[in-house]
Amino acid sequence: MRLISSRGWLGAALFLLCAACGLAAPSRDDALQAISVLEKDILGPGADEAAKTIVVYAQVSDDVMVDVGPDELPWLSEDWGLDKDREAQLHSLLLAAFVAGDVKTQLRSAHALDDTYSGWLFAIDAYHRMRLKENFRSPSLDALSKLQDDGKLFKHAKEVEEQQEEQQPPDTQERPYA
């Protein structure tokens, strides 16, 4: 199984993040190193390159499966009132944070099984760290954070995963952007 169910709205975001697609496919170790960079400092030096690495790894690796779409990444459609380029960069970094959380769990468990919950936890943490340096708010990430605080995020993640499984025919498991 591979990354990314086919959802047209996400194509543009992935295209931007996959600017590094012409490079050699990242290894498992490259992916783990990229995750480490994002965990250390989501806005620090190397974060943009680490974001590209983890998204490309998820896209090309048979070792992981990440389902992304508007239910998993609601913040991608939000307007935060920032400079257009800066907002696009933060959207991309938060997308990569979601993918990093999802991928990290799968690499640790050695099972290619989508984990929306872990993706959201990583994205929520990244969002809180970003907000220490950037003046913006994401209503959807605030809502996901509240669900986590209330102990309801895991259940919500499982509901989203079940809905995606019901909506996606089994023969659409291929990567649309490879």
Side-chain angles (χ1 to χ4, degrees), residues 148-166:
Q148 176 62 15
D149 291 345
D150 294 345
K152 299 177 181 177
L153 186 64
F154 183 80
K155 180 180 180 203
H156 180 58
K158 291 303 171 196
E159 291 168 352
V160 167
E161 288 171 359
E162 288 172 10
Q163 288 173 348
Q164 296 306 334
E165 287 174 16
E166 291 171 6

Side-chain angles (χ1 to χ4, degrees), residues 25-68:
S27 68
R28 179 183 190 278
D29 288 340
D30 293 336
L32 290 170
Q33 178 60 34
I35 291 168
S36 177
V37 169
L38 296 180
E39 286 175 325
K40 183 177 179 180
D41 189 355
I42 190 74
L43 295 175
D48 288 339
E49 196 60 36
K52 290 175 189 174
T53 298
I54 192 61
V55 171
V56 171
Y57 176 78
Q59 179 71 25
V60 300
S61 176
D62 290 329
D63 296 335
V64 296
M65 181 177 170
V66 179
D67 192 23
V68 293

Side-chain angles (χ1 to χ4, degrees), residues 38-39 41-42 125-133:
L38 296 180
E39 286 175 325
D41 189 355
I42 190 74
D125 178 64
Y127 167 64
H128 289 300
R129 290 183 287 135
M130 283 178 170
R131 292 206 54 242
L132 296 174
K133 297 179 180 180

